[in-house]
Amino acid sequence: MFKSRSEGNVVYKCTVRLLEDLDVLECEFQPHHKGGFLLDYICEQLEITEKDYFGLRFVDTAKQRHWLDLAKTIIKQVKDVDPLVLSFRVKFYPADPCRLTGYGKVMLFQQLKRDLRHGRLYCSIGEAAALGALIVQDELGDFDPETHTGEYVSSLKIALRQTEQLEKKAMELHRKREPGQETTAAYDEFVGIARSLETYGIDPHPVKDHRGTQLYLGINFSGISTFAAGRRAQHFRWPEVHKINFEGKMFIIHLAYTDDRREVKKHTVGFKCPSGSACRYVWRCAIEQMLFFTLPTSQQAAVMSGGGFFSWGTKFKYSGRTEREILSESLNALRQQKLNNTSPSKRKAQSVPATPSSPQGDLAEIRKSRYSSLPRSTMSEPLGGCNDHHMASSVYCTDNPLPTLETVSEEARKTNGESNDHLSDYYFRDSFDHSSSESGFATNVIENRLGSHLLHRQTYTSDNISSLAMHSMANNSALIQQQNASNSAKNVKKFSLIQAFVPSFFFVVVVLAVSAVYILESDSDMFSTMKNWPEMICLRYQYYQPLKEFLAKKFGAIF
């Protein structure tokens, strides 16, 4: 696994499986390396520029899948996994697949092929035949009557449930394709068909609803969907999702939407996962997908917390760029390339600021480019194929610059310090206040007061001495009273926060427990709606009912 510690740095080795099962990479990392180091190395080896759409996934000892966190050290995340095998996969399926370029588009094509073969990309037999024909075109090339004879498609793995009818339709569509097409054309056509499907970018998570019906939960760029028998049953768009959290095995979605009367309605939906770790994995996947496709910048990502009162809280901080940041950088690179390719004379003519009557030429060029508009958080409908006309690019607003701070000069500090020191050398019983206009007479006032003070010291009389003695006695009595007051204050008992908090905490816990037991055991119709809340269902079946059965066994028929 690694070198000896006496030799210096510890080096760990791992195996990374690519989208083709036979393609693997052997990688090395050190204990201080984070997940981003490994992903950057793999994307560099594969010459992928859009690395933010990809991720590394592994399976722990409990057979639970996890995405490798790019902001945390690798060894802390996979310390119990041996041997260490990671899978390189597409993590965020783009809303418009044609945004990927080069080998990134090839990897997306291979990922979608893998989804079709494993049954994640669910579609009709006609759509599966069209996708299968493109797979045959990619692996066998153009149709050749001399080479492609008989059931030549049967040797290829196209779909999960591959039948003879599907193979015949795929061969028929493969024969009708025009020869001489480029490979990228087949890629664009394949991802265009896959993008139009409801299961595009869906990694199904098995869950159950409140009735116990088996469903599959899917999360992609448009929102959260539920599937039953391969059909989408529910779809919650990201603008409607107000909050996502979990409670034990219960995955909870808080919705806030506007009805036909334009009134804001709130609704809560819960789904039960097979285990608590599976529920945390679904929650994290949903949080990452929502932030990646909806946030303008990753700097606006706050620390997300999940888990309720009866489960351990989980915090997650999104790391990496969002899709809007990726597209913004692509547009800026395209604009810069356009300016570099422009001749100096044209560049001088285009340097005039754009107005509504005279827009810049590079903006028109960007509108004609193959990049579509940035994905809004309300987008849930298909964007069509790769050859369709795209929307105009969105306008980005830069953040307002921070106000600058004015510095104070050293001369000003020295002047203020000298004036304060000069005035502190003299003590006056009566204070005096003067405005800035009187500062010119400060020297004369000080000299006059100092002279009178010296004269007063020389002309002391007996009356003055007696008055000073009485004044000192009064001061001593005042000091004695202050000491007595301070001693009495020490004897007063200090306020204890713990003594005030602990009884209140136990009182609140007892009241909540008694209220929960009363609601769960009551047959009143007043609490029927409250009993159907996902939190109450989770509390009943995961905590209250097992505790009730345990106490019944221990103490007999109390309940």
Side-chain angles (χ1 to χ4, degrees):
M1 285 291 293
F2 52 86
K3 297 180 181 178
S4 175
R5 292 182 181 272
S6 61
E7 298 180 6
N9 295 331
V10 180
V11 177
Y12 295 89
K13 294 183 180 180
C14 65
T15 302
V16 179
R17 295 186 302 180
L18 303 181
L19 292 168
E20 294 292 342
D21 293 330
L22 300 179
D23 297 339
V24 295
L25 282 177
E26 297 294 336
C27 303
E28 296 180 351
F29 62 93
Q30 294 181 353
H32 65 276
H33 285 152
K34 298 182 179 181
F37 167 79
L38 204 57
L39 182 62
D40 292 342
Y41 174 77
I42 296 172
C43 291
E44 182 180 357
Q45 296 295 318
L46 299 178
E47 298 180 357
I48 297 175
T49 57
E50 301 92 348
K51 62 181 180 180
D52 299 275
Y53 291 99
F54 300 88
L56 296 171
R57 194 165 57 192
F58 66 96
V59 181
D60 61 8
T61 54
K63 306 301 180 183
Q64 175 60 49
R65 294 187 301 176
H66 299 277
W67 286 105
L68 191 67
D69 196 332
L70 304 181
K72 296 181 180 180
T73 56
I74 304 172
I75 194 62
K76 288 185 179 181
Q77 302 180 62
V78 299
K79 57 183 178 181
D80 297 330
V81 181
D82 189 23
L84 180 55
V85 179
L86 302 172
S87 299
F88 180 75
R89 299 289 182 263
V90 176
K91 187 176 183 179
F92 303 106
Y93 292 73
D96 184 6
C98 291
R99 290 173 181 153
L100 298 181
T101 59
Y103 202 71
K105 183 181 293 185
V106 177
M107 298 303 289
L108 178 62
F109 170 71
Q110 294 181 0
Q111 178 69 70
L112 293 172
K113 281 198 309 180
R114 188 180 184 87
D115 295 343
L116 182 64
R117 291 169 179 172
H118 288 77
R120 290 188 292 267
L121 191 62
Y122 190 85
C123 55
S124 63
I125 188 172
E127 294 166 336
L131 295 173
L134 293 169
I135 294 176
V136 175
Q137 176 70 28
D138 175 61
E139 297 189 6
L140 301 181
D142 296 333
F143 175 73
D144 187 0
E146 298 180 356
T147 306
H148 302 146
T149 58
E151 304 294 333
Y152 64 94
V153 179
S154 60
S155 60
L156 302 176
K157 182 64 176 177
I158 297 177
L160 179 64
R161 296 178 179 86
Q162 188 168 332
T163 61
E164 294 182 0
Q165 182 181 4
L166 176 61
E167 292 177 358
K168 290 181 180 179
K169 287 189 176 183
M171 287 189 295
E172 182 180 354
L173 294 175
H174 181 234
R175 293 190 188 100
K176 293 180 180 180
R177 292 190 61 84
E178 297 181 1
Q181 291 184 350
E182 296 182 358
T183 307
T184 55
Y187 293 162
D188 293 340
E189 188 175 352
F190 186 93
V191 297
I193 297 174
R195 169 60 182 80
S196 62
L197 300 176
E198 293 179 345
T199 53
Y200 168 75
I202 294 297
D203 186 12
H205 306 277
V207 296
K208 291 183 179 180
D209 60 3
H210 63 283
R211 299 187 182 91
T213 305
Q214 182 66 48
L215 299 174
Y216 288 94
L217 198 69
I219 310 164
N220 63 358
F221 69 93
S222 61
I224 304 175
S225 304
T226 58
F227 296 88
R231 299 293 181 182
R232 185 161 66 181
Q234 295 173 306
H235 180 56
F236 311 112
R237 299 183 303 116
W238 290 129
E240 300 173 353
V241 178
H242 176 66
K243 183 182 178 182
I244 304 173
N245 65 340
F246 66 93
E247 179 67 52
K249 298 180 182 180
M250 189 70 64
F251 175 71
I252 304 171
I253 307 172
H254 300 269
L255 303 172
Y257 57 93
T258 306
D259 59 1
D260 298 335
R261 299 179 181 178
R262 294 184 178 181
E263 296 180 357
V264 178
K265 301 292 183 179
K266 294 185 178 180
H267 185 58
T268 304
V269 183
F271 302 95
K272 188 176 181 181
C273 300
S275 62
S277 59
C279 187
R280 287 192 296 270
Y281 174 68
V282 174
W283 171 79
R284 177 161 178 170
C285 290
I287 291 295
E288 286 185 308
Q289 294 282 336
M290 181 179 65
L291 298 180
F292 180 80
F293 288 108
T294 58
L295 282 183
T297 60
S298 58
Q299 297 178 353
Q300 300 180 5
V303 178
M304 309 297 293
S305 60
F309 183 78
F310 297 99
S311 63
W312 293 102
T314 303
K315 294 184 179 180
F316 170 72
K317 180 67 170 68
Y318 179 78
S319 60
R321 297 184 302 174
T322 63
E323 189 178 41
R324 295 191 184 184
E325 288 180 307
I326 299 171
L327 298 179
S328 178
E329 292 182 5
S330 301
L331 291 175
N332 292 333
L334 182 64
R335 185 184 293 110
Q336 186 65 31
Q337 183 180 3
K338 177 63 173 60
L339 292 176
N340 293 336
N341 295 335
T342 306
S343 59
S345 58
K346 293 183 179 180
R347 190 180 304 172
K348 183 177 180 180
Q350 292 179 354
S351 61
V352 181
T355 61
S357 60
S358 61
Q360 289 181 347
D362 58 343
L363 294 179
E365 182 66 23
I366 293 174
R367 296 190 183 97
K368 296 180 182 179
S369 65
R370 62 185 181 86
Y371 290 96
S372 63
S373 63
L374 298 179
R376 300 175 298 171
S377 60
T378 58
M379 180 176 60
S380 61
E381 297 298 329
L383 297 177
C386 296
N387 296 325
D388 296 341
H389 294 285
H390 301 290
M391 299 172 62
S393 60
S394 301
V395 179
Y396 289 90
C397 298
T398 58
D399 297 333
N400 294 328
L402 295 175
T404 57
L405 300 177
E406 296 181 0
T407 59
V408 180
S409 62
E410 291 292 335
E411 290 77 5
R413 290 202 198 100
K414 292 180 179 179
T415 304
N416 295 334
E418 291 175 359
S419 60
N420 293 334
D421 296 337
H422 180 68
L423 292 177
S424 62
D425 291 338
Y426 301 96
Y427 173 76
F428 305 102
R429 284 176 57 186
D430 52 339
S431 62
F432 63 96
D433 298 329
H434 58 275
S435 63
S436 60
S437 61
E438 298 173 341
S439 60
F441 302 97
T443 305
N444 297 330
V445 172
I446 293 173
E447 292 177 354
N448 293 334
R449 287 178 180 265
L450 184 58
S452 61
H453 180 65
L454 296 175
L455 181 62
H456 184 67
R457 291 182 61 182
Q458 295 176 359
T459 58
Y460 272 145
T461 62
S462 60
D463 295 336
N464 299 129
I465 295 173
S466 61
S467 62
L468 289 174
M470 294 176 62
H471 182 68
S472 62
M473 293 175 64
N475 291 337
N476 293 333
S477 61
L479 290 174
I480 293 172
Q481 292 178 359
Q482 291 179 359
Q483 291 178 357
N484 295 333
S486 62
N487 293 332
S488 62
K490 291 180 181 179
N491 296 329
V492 177
K493 187 176 181 180
K494 295 183 179 180
F495 174 75
S496 178
L497 181 62
I498 297 177
Q499 294 179 359
F501 174 75
V502 172
S504 303
F505 175 77
F506 281 108
F507 175 75
V508 172
V509 170
V510 171
V511 171
L512 290 176
V514 173
S515 302
V517 172
Y518 179 76
I519 293 172
L520 293 173
E521 294 294 338
S522 177
D523 296 333
S524 177
D525 297 335
M526 182 174 59
F527 302 113
S528 59
T529 304
M530 189 179 298
K531 289 181 180 180
N532 293 328
W533 289 356
E535 292 85 352
M536 297 301 294
I537 296 174
C538 180
L539 176 63
R540 172 187 288 273
Y541 291 105
Q542 293 192 20
Y543 302 99
Y544 179 71
Q545 200 68 27
L547 180 61
K548 182 178 178 181
E549 295 175 358
F550 173 77
L551 295 177
K553 291 179 181 179
K554 289 292 183 182
F555 302 101
I558 296 179
F559 292 90

